[in-house]
Every structure is written in structure tokens, then in C-alpha cells.
Amino acid sequence: MTNLGGNKMSRHKQIRIALNNCGVIDPENIREYIARDGYLALGKCLTEMKPDDIIREIKDSGLRGRGGGGFPAGLKWEIAAKNQADQKYVVCNADEGDPGAFMDRSILEGDPHAVIEAMAICGYSMGATKGLIYIRAEYPLAIKRLKIAIDQAREFGLLGKNIFKTDFEFDIELRYGAGAFVCGEETALIHSMEGLRGEPTIKPPYPAESGYLEKPTNVNNVETYANVPIILRKGANWFNKIGTEKSKGTKVFALAGKIKNVGLVEVPMGTTLREVIYEIGGGIENDKKFKAVQTGGPSGGCLTEKHLDTPIDFDNLVQAGSMMGSGGMIVMDEDNCMVSVAKFYLDFTVEESCGKCSPCRIGNKRLYELLDRITQGKGEMEDLKRLRNMSNVIKDTSLCGLGQTSPNPVLSTLDNFYDEYVAHVTDKKCPAGECKDLMTYFVIEENCVGCTACARVCPVGAITGEKKEVHYINPEICIKCGACEERCKFDAIIVK
Amino acid sequence: MTKIKTLADLERIKNEMRSDKDLNGSQDNSENAVKIKVGMGTSGIASGARDVMDFLIEALEKRNIEALVSQTGDMGYSYAEPTIEVRKPGQKPIVFGYVDVKKADLIIEKYIKLGEEVEGIIPVNYQTIDD
């Protein structure tokens, strides 16, 4: 037996559980899934286990929701199972929307049957006969492969009536999201499926009590479901030996940004950021200096050098000022301006706020405007206090998870890169050289031979000077496109 | 298609697949075939995996090499797309990255035919649930 817990005895840093079949089987051929023990867990559950046994197994495994919040999956199932109703629903949240994240898409494209099997198991354990997958329309290949998989499962009798000769029936339909980020929030997702506006509502009632069409509904994310068949096949005790004390199993991350090996990785909880970035990810592109890693998408934060040895799990990341989120991991190097990064995420949030509650609708817009001002060199020191105060108010008073977490990128960059904010405000400089408004192009007189190449390439006519004489760039007209610097053969133009 | 009613039915399909029938389950003794999987997730396709797969199917047939080419999902190596896995009979599978049509041609001529090394091998860097 290989000891999967801890990294001492393992040969590799990665263990593929959720990605077990991804890149291994033909996702459009159910027989290949079955050849890898697919639907064995469903068969065993239906013929050998009681619903309570399954829920206990999932609880014992310690599986927590992989969509971001980390709520214990078994507990969610148990609550939905206890609530009595004539109809219940199993919902799969495939509304993956974090910038740079593609874990769920890859699982659905590479192993759709794992999600179907898990949803059927969940249906049996909570007493639901209907499953719905809420998937964004921007994922056409995942949709196509899911449809093929559902059809094949029906053809093989693994969806439909009397599955494995029992009384259990279960079927799955797809529902399409139009790409609104807030619809990844479970109450907004449910409203969207009902044909209503994708707006969140206050919890409680939780979906497990009153969800889709006001019936008890279990909502889990794609990756959470993808773990379920394997947990039931290998046993809770196998699964809960992997990971840390409070976060069991593995997590899939989409490594992106300034990293050599961009791609999908699946590591046991408790792996450090350093191991993921340097050992698996191969380090920073072009051997630049590591500056920060953003986890948790627009709800998360930026972690720095000092966090690199933090073991990744739900609680540690929150403690470090970020969060697990769904698994996006964007690596930044010395050329990334952290104020711009915060602005990028706020721009996203402003765009995606549903507008229902004012702290999120108005507050985030004001936060964005403050950040914009700072990146233009028009900020004041007072603005930095305003940013922090407003962030805290938005967090405390917003209706749903979107607003409650949207200031995180601002707060974490303020905490970790305060000096960089100050440089923008007091020196009117962007240390990373990313904020165009804070850059000035200069001609180095000694180097300029007066070839006029720069003046000819300048799209706005900002450069003047006679032939064979030193040229001059007018900062009032210059749009900082950099064309002159690129064209100059004498290194006579620099940017500061 | 007979429906699956029991655990034994699952076992039967598993055994059928093990005994190396081709992907449609028809009788085709393919023990001696080279098996190639092409990573066809969104990122693979966007990087040209479909052209590579079409080329492989056509070229292997033209060159009389017994092979089974199939699609699979994202192998996880987005930086090196398109990626393919090649398993020669009786050998361990090898994953190649940065595979365009030219590279695919090289893999057939050098690795598959002659067993020579071709650049761009991505070493296995993970454990499976059965390890």
C-alpha cells in the first residue's frame, strides 16, 4: 500500500482523483468509462447500500465543496435527505466563471460520466429523481459531450427507470446559463433555472430546504461530484487519509499567468504554493522574479513570497487573506502592477454585480473609480483609507457572496503591497511600469543622433526635432504607445 | 444495446474492453496495434489537435501501421498543447507535447517505426488512484 497521505512516500506531487479519467478515456464512449470501473459505485450503492450509508460515507470522507465555500458535502446531502417533499432535485453547478479558471470545463469535457454517476448517487441518497446541470452556454464542447454521455447512460439503462433492477429512477437535464458570474451563487443559479432573473436571495432558506421550484435541492459543483464515485469505490478511509486535518482529498487548480507550465494540476490538500508554482508549474516564465499569486478569483486575494510555504487548504488560504475559490491560480511576476490587478478584478465585479443590493452595485463602482484614479496618478493618501473603509462596508453589508468577497483583491493588495499604492499616490510612479498614465518617455540626448526615425513612427506627432539634431518628446501629446522606443536603434529613448 | 442490470454486466463490459476490442466493441484483434490518444479538450482543439488527429489517422493507414487513434479529454498540459499519448504494443505509454502535423510525422517515422527518441516528451508527474 502506498501511503497517499503526506508527501514523504509519494513519488509525485500530484494525485489525480477528480481528474482520474481526464485525458485517459474517450469521453464520448461510455464503455471506456465502464472499463475504468465507471458506474460501479452507482451499482454498489443501489444494490448494497442504504441512502444513510452513502451519506455517512461521504461525511466520513471529509469531502468539502470544491466550488469555493468548502461546505461539507455530506452534511449538505444529509439536510436535503431529511427534508421531506414529493419531489427533490440534484443540481450540478457548472457555471464556472472565475477569470482564468477551467477546471470544471476540463472535467466535463474529459470525464462527463463521473458527474452523471455522482448525481445519480446523490439522487438515491437524498430521495431525488431529477438532476439538472446548470452549465454556461460558452462551454459548447462540454455541453456536447455531456449530452452524448447522458444519451449513452440512458441507452445503457444507467439513467431512467429501474436502474440496476431497483425501484430507483433518475434522469438528468441540462440548463444553460448566459454567462452571468453571479449565477454561480446557488440561489441566483436556482432562480436562473426557474426562468427568473439571476439574482441571489437571502439564505436561509437554504436550497436543501427550499430550492428549485421551492423543493429541497442539493447544489454541488462539478469537481465535488467528480470525487464522489471514487470515494465510494475506494472508501471514505482511503480518501480522508489524503490532505490535511480539515481539508481532505485533493484540489484541482488551473495554473495560469506568468508561469512556465500553464495547465491543470491536482494536488493533495496541504501541498504548498511553492511546490505548485516551482515544482509542478516549473517556476516563473522567462526566469523573472515571483511577485504574487492570485487564488480564489474575484473573491480571493493576492498572496506573496511570505505565503509560499503555506500548505494549501480551505482554512489556511482564508487565514492568509485569500480563499480557495474554485481553483483558479494566477501567477504574477515583477512586471505586474498590483494596483492594476486589483482594478482588473473590480472591473470584473462591477460588470458582474447583479445590481440588486446597493453596497455591491454602488460600492464596487466607487472602489473601481478610486483605483482608476490612483493608477492615473490622481490619487491622494486619503484614498487609501477610503479604499479600506469602503471595502469593509461592502463586505459587511452585501447580500450575497459576490459582494461579500469582491473587495478581497483590494484588501489583500493593500495589505501586501501598500508601498506600491503609496508610490502611485505620492511619487506618481508605477514601480512595475504597467500604469501607462504614470510613465514618461524621454530622449537621452547623448545617444540621439537625430535620425528622425522616432518622429516618423510616432502616431500622434509628439516628437519634434531637426535632422541630425537631438529630438524632443512632448509629454502633453505622447500617448505612451512605445512605438518610438521600439524603433530607435541607438537606445536613445527610455521610459521612466 | 443490452441494458446494464447488474454488477456482472459492468464486469462483462470491462472485460470486453480489456481484451482489446476496438472502441466500438466490434471484434478486432488490436493487440499489435499502436494506440494513440489525442488530447481534445477545448485548449487542445484550439491549438490544432483536430488537424493532428486527422493527420495521424490518415498517415498511419497510408503507411500500413496498425494503429488505433482516439480522442480523449484535456491531459492538463495546456502549455504544451496539442498533446498526444502513444502506446506501442507491450510498452509504457509516452506523452508528447507541442505536437503539430510536422511533429506527428516525426513521431510516426522516428518513434513508432524505429523506436528512436523524439523531443517534447512530457514525463508522468502524478500518481493515479491505483498507485
Side-chain angles (χ1 to χ4, degrees):
Chain A
M1 271 288 285
T2 315
N3 175 16
L4 293 173
N7 288 320
K8 273 178 219 146
M9 292 179 69
S10 56
R11 287 174 296 124
H12 300 293
K13 297 283 177 197
Q14 298 195 63
I15 306 174
R16 293 197 173 174
I17 298 176
L19 297 177
N20 174 42
N21 287 327
C22 214
V24 177
I25 63 166
D26 178 352
E28 297 183 21
N29 185 346
I30 189 171
R31 300 170 65 90
E32 289 205 14
Y33 181 66
I34 293 170
R36 302 256 300 170
D37 287 330
Y39 291 106
L40 188 62
L42 177 64
K44 286 211 163 139
C45 284
L46 293 187
T47 56
E48 294 167 8
M49 291 172 87
K50 292 201 177 78
D52 288 350
D53 300 335
I54 299 168
I55 290 171
R56 191 171 320 118
E57 197 73 6
I58 298 296
K59 279 173 88 174
D60 288 348
S61 76
L63 177 68
R64 292 170 68 173
R66 300 296 196 244
F71 191 82
L75 190 57
K76 228 180 191 182
W77 291 23
E78 187 176 55
I79 299 166
K82 277 186 183 151
N83 285 313
Q84 296 300 319
D86 53 346
Q87 182 57 269
K88 298 182 188 179
Y89 294 94
V90 176
V91 172
C92 173
N93 182 349
D95 190 51
E96 185 172 52
D98 288 2
F102 54 95
M103 301 75 55
D104 295 347
R105 188 192 73 204
S106 300
I107 292 172
L108 291 171
E109 285 176 1
D111 195 14
H113 285 288
V115 174
I116 293 170
E117 182 182 3
M119 289 176 71
I121 292 169
C122 177
Y124 173 67
S125 71
M126 65 179 264
T129 59
K130 285 191 178 150
L132 296 157
I133 301 176
Y134 185 84
I135 181 164
R136 48 191 302 175
E138 293 100 322
Y139 280 180
L141 185 64
I143 290 171
K144 181 188 147 205
R145 291 194 177 149
L146 266 175
K147 280 183 173 166
I148 291 171
I150 290 169
D151 284 346
Q152 286 178 347
R154 283 180 188 145
E155 202 183 303
F156 276 64
L158 296 164
L159 286 177
K161 290 199 161 93
N162 302 113
I163 303 171
F164 282 99
K165 287 198 286 195
T166 64
D167 293 337
F168 178 62
E169 62 167 287
F170 193 77
D171 209 350
I172 294 175
E173 283 176 36
L174 300 187
R175 290 282 189 277
Y176 305 116
F181 182 64
V182 74
C183 288
E185 196 281 338
E186 56 185 9
T187 60
L189 182 151
I190 287 166
H191 296 315
S192 173
M193 289 202 307
E194 289 167 341
L196 304 172
R197 278 181 69 153
E199 286 180 337
T201 40
I202 292 173
K203 295 188 277 192
Y206 288 91
E209 195 184 315
S210 171
Y212 183 62
L213 304 176
E214 292 171 11
K215 303 291 183 190
T217 303
N218 179 66
V219 185
N220 281 133
N221 145 282
V222 172
E223 191 186 330
T224 315
Y225 282 126
N227 278 289
V228 166
I230 296 172
I231 291 173
L232 291 165
R233 246 158 51 208
K234 308 277 291 187
N237 285 329
W238 173 83
F239 189 80
N240 66 24
K241 283 195 180 66
I242 304 165
T244 62
E245 198 197 333
K246 287 184 177 159
S247 301
K248 300 300 185 189
T250 57
K251 179 76 193 84
V252 182
F253 290 100
L255 261 184
K258 307 278 184 68
I259 187 143
K260 278 184 189 149
N261 300 344
V262 169
L264 281 181
V265 303
E266 181 170 358
V267 290
M269 299 278 190
T271 305
T272 65
L273 286 164
R274 190 186 299 280
E275 287 171 313
V276 172
I277 294 168
Y278 287 95
E279 289 180 43
I280 301 169
I284 312 299
E285 228 180 13
N286 301 322
D287 294 313
K288 295 241 177 183
K289 204 169 167 295
F290 168 83
K291 184 166 187 181
V293 54
Q294 212 280 350
T295 69
S299 308
C302 292
L303 302 173
T304 64
E305 187 85 40
K306 68 172 187 244
H307 301 112
L308 279 180
D309 294 307
T310 306
I312 301 169
D313 72 6
F314 288 103
D315 312 292
N316 282 341
L317 287 183
V318 170
Q319 207 169 10
S322 185
M323 65 183 285
M324 180 78 82
S326 60
M329 198 178 264
I330 301 176
V331 178
M332 293 160 206
D333 69 7
E334 50 192 301
D335 295 338
N336 287 104
C337 163
M338 301 316 287
V339 186
S340 300
V341 167
K343 194 174 108 175
F344 168 82
Y345 282 105
L346 257 293
D347 186 29
F348 182 86
T349 311
V350 167
E351 192 75 16
E352 295 293 347
S353 170
C354 77
K356 184 171 176 173
C357 72
S358 36
C360 178
R361 181 183 67 244
I362 303 169
N364 282 315
K365 179 82 181 157
R366 292 290 101 87
L367 271 186
Y368 175 81
E369 287 164 358
L370 280 173
L371 291 167
D372 195 38
R373 215 158 84 181
I374 293 169
T375 56
Q376 287 176 15
K378 296 174 187 161
E380 311 156 1
M381 283 308 283
E382 201 57 31
D383 286 345
L384 303 188
K385 278 188 201 152
R386 285 193 194 109
L387 277 176
R388 191 177 287 281
N389 287 342
M390 205 179 308
S391 292
N392 288 328
V393 172
I394 296 168
K395 274 174 78 100
D396 290 345
T397 54
S398 287
L399 173 65
C400 82
L402 196 155
Q404 286 159 11
T405 56
S406 62
N408 284 353
V410 180
L411 289 173
S412 75
T413 48
L414 270 175
D415 285 341
N416 294 316
F417 299 95
Y418 190 74
D419 292 348
E420 209 168 321
Y421 276 88
V422 173
H424 282 75
V425 172
T426 57
D427 309 338
K428 310 293 177 202
K429 289 281 174 227
C430 173
E434 199 182 327
C435 296
K436 282 198 168 172
D437 289 315
L438 300 182
M439 297 193 293
T440 320
Y441 281 83
F442 290 102
V443 174
I444 302 175
E445 296 188 7
E446 303 88 84
N447 291 0
C448 181
V449 298
C451 71
T452 72
C454 58
R456 277 180 280 133
V457 78
C458 178
V460 290
I463 306 180
T464 49
E466 295 298 315
K467 235 181 197 174
K468 295 190 179 171
E469 279 179 27
V470 172
H471 281 52
Y472 166 73
I473 304 172
N474 185 342
E476 300 291 311
I477 305 173
C478 175
I479 55 165
K480 291 138 190 173
C481 67
C484 53
E485 186 194 16
E486 219 169 88
R487 180 60 63 91
C488 181
K489 287 179 187 157
F490 306 96
D491 294 327
I493 294 176
I494 55 160
V495 55
K496 264 190 196 162
Chain B
M1 175 52 57
T2 47
K3 296 214 169 196
I4 289 170
K5 291 282 170 204
T6 61
L7 295 178
D9 292 340
L10 286 175
E11 193 63 27
R12 178 176 48 79
I13 293 182
K14 196 176 160 182
N15 289 333
E16 282 172 13
M17 297 296 286
R18 277 238 179 97
S19 65
D20 269 327
K21 291 178 178 177
D22 81 1
L23 296 177
N24 302 318
S26 65
Q27 292 291 335
D28 173 22
N29 190 351
S30 60
E31 260 169 53
N32 297 316
V34 180
K35 293 189 181 106
I36 302 179
K37 293 173 186 173
V38 183
M40 297 267 269
T42 292
S43 59
I45 293 170
S47 311
R50 213 183 284 283
D51 290 342
V52 172
M53 185 157 170
D54 290 346
F55 170 81
L56 284 169
I57 292 171
E58 208 187 298
L60 288 162
E61 197 181 324
K62 266 192 198 155
R63 297 173 202 181
N64 283 321
I65 298 168
E66 205 183 324
L68 289 174
V69 182
S70 63
Q71 65 167 359
T72 185
D74 198 328
M75 296 186 196
Y77 314 110
S78 311
Y79 64 97
E81 295 279 14
T83 49
I84 69 171
E85 183 196 279
V86 182
R87 186 197 292 256
K88 289 171 72 173
Q91 294 190 21
K92 280 194 169 168
I94 290 185
V95 175
F96 294 92
Y98 312 98
V99 182
D100 53 9
V101 169
K102 220 170 124 190
K103 179 80 163 279
D105 185 48
L106 207 65
I107 291 170
I108 297 175
E109 291 302 315
K110 280 197 156 174
Y111 177 68
I112 294 178
K113 278 192 183 169
L114 307 171
E116 286 174 19
E117 218 170 90
V118 175
E119 259 182 54
I121 292 175
I122 301 174
V124 177
N125 63 352
Y126 59 88
Q127 276 177 267
T128 68
I129 56 169
D130 301 313
D131 283 339

